[in-house]
Amino acid sequence: MQEKLNDILQRALEELIKIQNKDELGEFKVKFLGKQGELTSILRGMREVAPEDRPKVGALVNEVREKIESAYSAKEEEYNKIELEKELAKSAIDITEPGKFHEKGALHPTTRMFNKLIDICVAMGFKVVEGPEIETDYYNFEGLNIPKNHPSRDMQDTFFITDNILLRSQTSSVQVRSMENMKPPIKIISPGRVYRNDSDGTHSPVFHQLEGLVIDENVSMADLKAMLTSMMKKIFGESTKIRFRPSFFPFTEPSVEVDVSCPTCHGEGCKVCKGTGFLELLGAGVVNPKVLEMSGIDSKKYRGFAFGFGVDRFAMVYDGITDLRNMFKNDIRFLKQMK
Ligand code: DAH
């Protein structure tokens, strides 16, 4: 029996050395260690061994089995290592290869100016509301005291879709909607896109405005002036000067045009401000009582003021951009300069 077992061990170790691949290793396992394998069949034949010899033979079989198993495991380990290395080699990273460059985006100057203005206004207690870009004649004109055939309609060359439906030419339309929907006190801003039938170096058919409206019992032009001054200083710096000039808008009375000292030359006069030292940046005024009444607000009890910024213009002044067309061209090189 001992001889037989030694022979199995001998053959097993010899075969193991000759093994070339994992398949052969599998076959080896079945042959020597499997349920139908040589060692198991010896155990099965135990019946023929004299009872007093059985423990000895059993121990011997186990000893041989352990030797074969450990030799087998060492070989299996070897193959696992080879396979892992192959796998790693397949997915290896070539650290000498040039990296892939991901271009970082940048926010558009108009978006950044919107964010700045909205942050400032929200900190002052304004609520942000939005209105539709496709608007009715009423909200864009009539409700703002610009009746049909009123000459001031010519101030805004509008894209009409039908006689009654248009692309809003000003965010002031949201004033009317807000007055209808809210009860005073009202303190809203409305950022958004507006459209006009205009296109040249200083006009784009689509541009952006930010509208502001405050309605309460005791508000006046003085509040408007203080608020706008504070806003402009927050955007362009503490030393900014602000100038109010009388103007006309049908929805405000009195109306003003607001100028800000040129941030480029600080009022000295330069190319940006055409030597005047000031830039005309927004329209504003005390809400015309007729406008309040049309939206159902008691003009004896309440007063209001409103303002409208051209946000693209603000962004251009802020970033020193000279051609409006760059703002709408989608040229990535332009945006890169803004980072
Ligand atoms: N909607 C005006 C425009 O587009 C700007 C404006 C002026 C808005 C005076 C206002 C305002 O709210 O009070 O030219």
Side-chain angles (χ1 to χ4, degrees), residues 246-272:
S247 185
F248 171 76
F249 298 102
F251 33 93
T252 43
E253 185 58 43
S255 303
V256 287
E257 204 96 49
V258 185
D259 302 340
V260 171
S261 57
C262 177
T264 307
C265 62
H266 304 286
E268 295 291 315
C270 68
K271 265 215 297 228
V272 177

Side-chain angles (χ1 to χ4, degrees), residues 110 114 156 168-171 192-198 202-209 309-313 324 328:
T110 302
F114 257 133
Q156 306 185 0
R168 70 175 176 194
S169 63
Q170 49 185 351
T171 42
R193 257 191 295 261
V194 297
Y195 303 84
R196 285 185 204 177
N197 192 1
D198 239 346
T202 53
H203 297 90
S204 159
V206 53
F207 57 105
H208 302 84
Q209 289 188 333
F309 302 151
V311 179
D312 312 284
R313 189 84 210 287
L324 177 72
F328 298 95

Side-chain angles (χ1 to χ4, degrees), residues 36 72 79 89 98 130 145 178 192-193 200-201 227 322 324 336:
Q36 315 289 334
Y72 167 82
Y79 275 109
E130 284 182 295
N145 192 33
S178 303
R193 257 191 295 261
D200 59 38
M227 192 171 266
T322 44
L324 177 72
K336 266 190 189 159

